[in-house]
Amino acid sequence: MTYGRFVPIISDKYVDKDFGTGVLKISPGHDHNDYLLARKLGLPILNVMNKDGTLNEVAGLYCGLDRFEARKKLWSDLEETGLAVKKEAYTLRVPRSQRGGEIIEPLVSKQWFVTMEPLAEKALQAVEKGELNIMPERFEKIYNHWLSNIKDWCISRQLWWGHRIPVWYIVGKDCEEEYIVARSPEEAFEKAREKYGNNVEIYQDPDVLDTWFSSALWPFSTLGWPDAAAEDLKKFYPTSVLETGHDILFFWVARMVMMGLEFTGKVPFSNVYLHGLIRDSQGRKMSKTLGNVIDPLDTIKEYGTDALRFTLSLGTAGQDLNFSTERLSSNKAFTNKLWNAGKFVLQNLPRQSDSSAWKALQDFKFDNKESVFQLPLPECWVVSKLHMLIDDVTMSYDKFFFGDVAREIYDFFWADFADWYIEASKARLYHSGGGSVASVAQAVLLYVFENILKLLHPFMPFVTEELWQSLPNRQEALIISAWPQTGLPRQAESMKKFENLQALTRAIRNARAEYSVEPARRISASVVANSEVLQYISNEKEVLALLSRLDLENVIFTESPPGDANQSVHLVASEGLEAYLPLADMVDISAEVQRLSKRLAKMQSEYDALMARLSSSSFVEKAPEDIVRGVREKAAEAEEKLTLTKNRLAFLQSTVLVSN
C-alpha cells in the first residue's frame, strides 16, 4: 500500500504478547509511547498526516485522502486483496477537543523546548537553604520529587492568544537550521540584514508560549523588569508570600521560582501557602460535566460575602474542603450574631453628645496590670480572655494557621463574649442603677468588641468595616487601623473564679431544664462554699441571679447546707462550690410524682419487652448480629434511664413525706 516500503519486525518487552495476536504495529509519528520506543530502537519517525487531517505522500496510495476516508478505503482494499483476517468490535479511548468535540490526532512536530535541569537545580537549592518555605511542609517532598525528575519543557503552543515565540525564520531557508531570536521584529530584521543582506525576508514563528511560561514571569515582569532600577521592582520584588492552590505547585509555583532565580538571581517569594481545593458536598471536584459547579455570586447573594469567605477560610492548609450549605448557613448565622452584638453595644453606649460620659469611658485603660486587675470579676475575665486571644491569634496568623485563627475568634466571640459577657453586662446596664458600674461595662463592651472586629477583619472585611465605622469617634477606617497590641495583662485567678461562676450557672440551668421549670419562673437558691469562694460569688449576686433566673431576694450564701437540704435539689458545681434549690420552688411535687409514675410504668414495659427478646435463644442465635447488638444497646440505654427516673421519683416521694 506504500509502494513497497520495507517494514522491519522487532522484539520488545513493550508489546503485550497475550493481547490479541501478540503483534503490535508501531507508528512513532502518531503515538507518544511509540515515539519513545522508536527513539530507543533507532526506528525512523514517519508522519503520514498533514495538519488539516489529510494524508501526505508518506501514505502512498492514500495521499490526499481525508483521515476518515483513508481508514475506510484501507480496510476495503485489505478485504479486496484477501489480506483482511477478521473484523471485531473494540473499545478504546479516543481523545477529543474539549470545546469542539473533534477527534484529536497525535502528530509529531518540531517544538521549542527549555532545558530544565540547570533551572531545577537552583530551585531545589532554594528550599534546601531555607530561602523558600512551603506550607504545609509535606508538599516539599512533592516539590523536590518533581524537580529532581524533571524533563525538558515544551513551551510551543498552537493557540491564537498568548506571547508569540520570539523567533523569526528566513524565507527560503531551512527553518530548523536558520533562525533568529530577538526582542522585537525590528531587532530581528536588523540581525537578518546583517547576516543575509538587505533583501532578506523574515517571518515570525506562529506559535505562542505555553501559558505557564508566561505566568512564570509574572512576579517580576509586571514590575518593570528588565529595568533593574524600576521603582516597583525595587519595592515589591521579591515579595513575602505567595498564596495558591496545591494542585499547581509544579505548573506555576516551581516555574516562578526557576524563572525568578534565572532572570533576577532572587527567589520571587520567601513563603508559599498552599490552600486546598473546594469540592462539592460529596467530595467530588467541581466540573461542568458533573454539573456540580457552584457560582460564588449566587452563593454571595444568598449567604453574603463575609459568610462565604469565612467558610472557605476555616479549611486546613493543603487539605481539600467539601463545600456544604450547612457550613454556609452556620456562618451566615455567625455574621448575624456579630451584627446583633454590634447593635447591642451601640444601643448601650452613651449619647455622643454626652462628653462627660465619654470621658469616663476613655479614662478606662486596659494595657496595664493595675487597671485590669481592679476590674469586677466578669469584666476582668473577658478582658483577660481577649488578651489571651490576641496573643494566640497573632501567633497563628504569623504561622499561617488561618483555620486556627478563624476557629479561635469564632469560639471567643460566640461562647465567651456573646453568650456570657453580653448577658452578664445586662446586670450592670439594666439592674444596677447606672453610675460607675454601668460605665465599666460600657467601656469593656466597647474595648472587647472593637478588638474582635480588628481580629476578624481579614476574614470578614465588609461587616466588620460597617460595624467599626458605626461606632462613635472613629478616626480612621478599620482596614488601616493598628493591629491589637500583644502581651497585654491577663489575670489567671479571675479567669478561674469566673469559670466557677459559669459552672454554678450551668448546674442551675441544667436543673431547671431537668425539672421543666418555666423560663420566666424565678427560684430560690442556697450557695454553699468556703468564705473565700462565697466572697467573689456573692459579689456577683446580680449576675448569677440574672443568668440563672434566680429570685434575687431569696439567694442565700452560706458555708453549710441549709435546713431544708433534704427537700432541695443538691448541685455540685465544682470542687468546693455547691447549691441547693428548694424543690417546691421548681415544681408541683404531687403532680410531678404522678407524671413520673406513669412515665416509669411505660419505660418499664419497654425495657421488659427488650429483655424478653434478648432472653429468647432463637432471636439471639438466628437474628443478624447487628440487629442483636442494636437491641442490646437499646436495653442498656433503657436500663440507665429507668434507674435515673426511679431515683428521681424516690427523691420526690421522700420530699412529699418530709413535708407532710
Side-chain angles (χ1 to χ4, degrees):
M1 304 300 179
T2 54
Y3 308 112
R5 182 185 301 124
F6 177 76
V7 181
I9 297 174
I10 59 174
S11 173
D12 193 87
K13 291 181 179 179
Y14 172 68
V15 181
D16 182 0
K17 64 180 181 179
D18 297 322
F19 178 76
T21 61
V23 178
L24 180 72
K25 60 86 186 169
I26 298 294
S27 49
H30 300 278
D31 182 272
H32 179 68
N33 293 321
D34 291 359
Y35 173 81
L36 297 175
L37 184 61
R39 290 286 296 268
K40 184 178 80 169
L41 299 172
L43 298 175
I45 310 297
L46 299 177
N47 171 26
V48 302
M49 193 174 291
N50 298 312
K51 289 186 177 180
D52 63 357
T54 60
L55 301 195
N56 59 29
E57 64 278 0
V58 182
L61 295 173
Y62 307 96
C63 178
L65 290 178
D66 175 79
R67 54 181 169 160
F68 300 115
E69 293 174 8
R71 286 181 183 128
K72 292 177 183 176
K73 182 165 176 32
L74 175 58
W75 181 252
S76 175
D77 291 348
L78 288 170
E79 287 182 320
E80 285 181 14
T81 54
L83 294 173
V85 178
K86 66 176 180 177
K87 185 177 184 179
E88 60 183 40
Y90 178 67
T91 302
L92 70 162
R93 294 173 65 88
V94 178
R96 290 182 178 272
S97 167
Q98 183 184 19
R99 299 199 176 185
E102 300 90 347
I103 293 175
I104 296 171
E105 301 291 348
L107 188 68
V108 69
S109 60
K110 292 287 184 179
Q111 308 281 301
W112 287 98
F113 283 75
V114 175
T115 304
M116 297 304 294
E117 283 190 13
L119 301 177
E121 183 61 33
K122 293 178 185 177
L124 284 166
Q125 288 176 5
V127 171
E128 189 178 326
K129 293 176 181 177
E131 297 171 356
L132 179 65
N133 176 37
I134 299 174
M135 297 165 285
E137 192 177 342
R138 68 179 185 274
F139 283 97
E140 280 188 15
K141 291 182 180 178
I142 298 172
Y143 176 91
N144 291 336
H145 175 76
W146 274 335
L147 292 180
S148 300
N149 297 276
I150 202 165
K151 306 293 184 207
D152 288 346
W153 177 16
C154 175
I155 57 169
S156 295
R157 292 292 181 273
Q158 294 73 50
L159 301 171
W160 284 108
W161 305 108
H163 291 148
R164 283 282 288 278
I165 289 179
V167 174
W168 284 260
Y169 304 110
I170 314 303
V171 174
K173 300 284 185 180
D174 183 353
C175 64
E176 293 182 23
E177 300 295 333
E178 306 280 348
Y179 57 84
I180 294 168
V181 178
R183 292 182 180 273
S184 66
E186 292 76 20
E187 183 184 341
F189 190 59
E190 186 65 32
K191 286 183 176 181
R193 281 195 302 179
E194 289 176 6
K195 189 172 183 180
Y196 300 102
N198 290 336
N199 296 326
V200 68
E201 292 182 40
I202 63 174
Y203 62 96
Q204 190 174 357
D205 193 310
D207 289 355
V208 298
L209 292 168
D210 177 9
T211 303
W212 292 115
F213 186 96
S214 299
S215 301
L217 308 175
W218 187 85
F220 51 86
S221 65
T222 56
L223 300 175
W225 179 88
D227 179 7
E231 286 301 316
D232 284 351
L233 188 66
K234 288 193 294 184
K235 185 173 183 179
F236 297 110
Y237 187 89
T239 189
S240 55
V241 182
L242 169 77
E243 196 280 344
T244 189
H246 66 73
D247 55 328
I248 53 175
L249 175 60
F250 177 72
F251 292 111
W252 191 34
V253 179
R255 285 165 173 166
M256 281 193 284
V257 174
M258 289 187 280
M259 292 296 184
L261 286 167
E262 178 67 17
F263 291 115
T264 71
K266 299 175 183 176
V267 181
F269 27 73
S270 51
N271 295 290
V272 176
Y273 180 89
L274 301 171
H275 64 246
L277 305 182
I278 307 302
R279 299 182 177 273
D280 70 9
S281 57
Q282 299 176 42
R284 302 174 301 174
K285 194 169 184 178
M286 294 186 189
S287 71
K288 292 178 182 177
T289 307
L290 291 174
N292 61 346
V293 177
I294 297 171
D295 188 335
L297 293 178
D298 293 338
T299 307
I300 287 169
K301 202 174 292 183
E302 185 173 355
Y303 297 97
T305 307
D306 289 311
L308 176 60
R309 286 171 60 99
F310 195 75
T311 300
L312 300 184
S313 301
L314 282 167
T316 303
Q319 189 169 313
D320 293 354
L321 178 71
N322 291 355
F323 193 78
S324 71
T325 54
E326 289 80 8
R327 282 200 188 98
L328 277 171
S329 298
S330 172
N331 291 322
K332 181 181 180 181
F334 175 61
T335 311
N336 291 339
K337 188 80 170 178
L338 187 71
W339 184 263
N340 289 333
K343 285 173 63 177
F344 176 83
V345 173
L346 280 168
Q347 288 166 359
N348 287 284
L349 290 176
R351 295 189 305 276
Q352 277 195 269
S353 58
D354 191 345
S355 56
S356 61
W358 274 102
K359 185 180 183 307
L361 257 61
Q362 290 160 358
D363 285 342
F364 283 100
K365 303 298 178 186
F366 302 100
D367 56 356
N368 63 75
K369 282 187 178 181
E370 185 179 356
S371 58
V372 171
F373 289 10
Q374 286 179 355
L375 290 170
L377 182 59
E379 284 69 26
C380 187
W381 167 78
V382 77
V383 169
S384 296
K385 292 274 283 187
L386 171 70
H387 291 169
M388 286 180 63
L389 176 73
I390 291 171
D391 287 356
D392 292 343
V393 161
T394 303
M395 188 183 300
S396 293
Y397 266 128
D398 290 342
K399 292 179 178 179
F400 301 92
F401 295 164
F402 301 125
D404 291 349
V405 172
R407 284 183 284 273
E408 287 162 0
I409 300 172
Y410 181 99
D411 290 344
F412 172 79
F413 168 75
W414 201 303
D416 293 332
F417 183 66
D419 283 359
W420 284 97
Y421 184 67
I422 282 183
E423 295 306 312
S425 72
K426 293 175 183 177
R428 316 280 197 227
L429 299 169
Y430 307 148
H431 303 290
S432 65
S436 60
V437 177
S439 291
V440 70
Q442 290 171 330
V444 169
L445 281 169
L446 181 60
Y447 174 71
V448 175
F449 188 67
E450 65 183 10
N451 277 285
I452 288 171
L453 295 180
K454 288 183 177 184
L455 298 176
L456 199 52
H457 185 66
F459 292 95
M460 308 177 90
F462 301 102
V463 67
T464 52
E465 187 71 72
E466 184 73 19
L467 287 166
W468 172 270
Q469 298 203 23
S470 297
L471 295 172
N473 305 317
R474 300 299 101 180
Q475 303 299 321
E476 59 188 5
L478 176 56
I479 194 171
I480 58 170
S481 65
W483 185 253
Q485 184 182 338
T486 57
L488 293 171
R490 76 288 306 270
Q491 190 178 51
E493 185 183 353
S494 288
M495 289 191 284
K496 178 62 180 172
K497 288 177 179 178
F498 192 78
E499 285 169 8
N500 277 342
L501 183 63
Q502 287 177 305
L504 179 59
T505 302
R506 287 192 191 99
I508 296 171
R509 285 174 173 176
N510 290 341
R512 290 178 65 104
E514 192 176 340
Y515 284 91
S516 303
V517 180
E518 298 92 335
R521 188 170 186 174
R522 302 285 172 172
I523 61 174
S524 305
S526 294
V527 179
V528 180
N530 62 42
S531 58
E532 182 187 349
V533 175
L534 287 178
Q535 183 178 358
Y536 67 78
I537 295 291
S538 62
N539 285 343
E540 300 303 333
K541 180 178 179 180
E542 291 81 3
V543 172
L544 176 65
L546 179 67
L547 297 180
S548 307
R549 297 189 175 275
L550 300 178
D551 180 358
L552 187 59
E553 302 301 322
N554 287 296
V555 179
I556 299 167
F557 298 93
T558 175
E559 294 184 37
S560 56
D564 60 352
N566 58 351
Q567 299 177 49
S568 301
V569 177
H570 179 210
L571 307 174
V572 179
S574 60
E575 188 175 350
L577 179 59
E578 302 174 20
Y580 291 84
L581 308 180
L583 198 56
D585 268 14
M586 296 198 293
V587 293
D588 180 332
I589 297 175
S590 299
E592 185 68 5
V593 166
Q594 290 180 2
R595 187 183 72 81
L596 282 181
S597 297
K598 290 179 181 178
R599 183 179 172 191
L600 186 63
K602 183 181 178 184
M603 291 171 68
Q604 185 69 54
S605 63
E606 291 173 354
Y607 175 70
D608 291 343
L610 291 169
M611 293 306 296
R613 292 182 74 186
L614 291 173
S615 62
S616 168
S617 57
S618 60
F619 170 73
V620 175
E621 292 169 5
K622 295 178 181 179
E625 186 179 339
D626 59 329
I627 299 294
V628 176
R629 185 171 58 252
V631 173
R632 284 200 176 104
E633 289 172 357
K634 285 182 180 178
E637 186 180 344
E639 184 178 16
E640 185 180 349
K641 290 180 178 178
L642 198 61
T643 303
L644 289 172
T645 305
K646 283 179 179 178
N647 291 340
R648 187 183 300 177
L649 183 59
F651 172 62
L652 288 171
Q653 288 172 334
S654 67
T655 303
V656 173
L657 290 172
V658 170
S659 60
N660 287 340

